[in-house]
C-alpha cells in the first residue's frame, strides 16, 4: 500500500464522518464539505491504486 492509498482512504473516511454529521445536524454546509472531502479522498486512493497496479505490472515483466 502506498502513501496515496493511505491518505486517500483517510480523507475518504473523514469526509464521510463530516457528511453524516452534517446530515444528522441538518447542516447542509458541513454535509457538502464532507461529500467533497470524501470524493477527493476517493480520487487520491484510486490514483494510489493505479500506481500500485503499474508498479506490479512492471515487476511482473522482469
Amino acid at each position: 500500500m502506498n502513501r496515496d492509498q493511505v491518505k486517500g482512504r483517510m480523507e475518504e473516511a473523514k469526509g464521510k464522518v463530516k457528511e453524516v454529521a452534517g446530515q444528522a445536524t441538518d447542516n447542509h454546509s458541513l454535509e457538502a464539505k464532507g461529500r467533497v472531502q470524501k470524493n477527493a479522498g476517493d480520487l487520491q486512493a484510486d490514483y494510489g491504486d493505479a500506481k500500485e497496479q503499474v508498479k506490479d505490472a512492471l515487476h511482473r515483466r522482469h
Side-chain angles (χ1 to χ4, degrees):
M1 201 170 229
N2 63 41
R3 184 173 38 161
D4 287 307
Q5 289 171 309
V6 172
K7 287 179 78 173
R9 300 259 180 331
M10 287 176 54
E11 288 301 309
E12 198 175 351
K14 289 191 293 187
K16 182 64 179 175
V17 168
K18 284 182 184 176
E19 183 181 12
V20 170
Q23 289 171 348
T25 61
D26 203 30
N27 183 334
H28 300 291
S29 175
L30 182 61
E31 182 180 350
K33 287 177 185 178
R35 195 174 307 114
V36 168
Q37 185 176 12
K38 182 179 73 171
N39 290 335
D42 185 44
L43 286 173
Q44 185 173 10
D46 287 348
Y47 172 70
D49 292 343
K51 282 179 25 179
E52 283 294 311
Q53 289 175 351
V54 168
K55 185 174 122 182
D56 291 345
L58 289 174
H59 283 285
R60 277 188 253 126
R61 292 188 75 189
H62 291 105

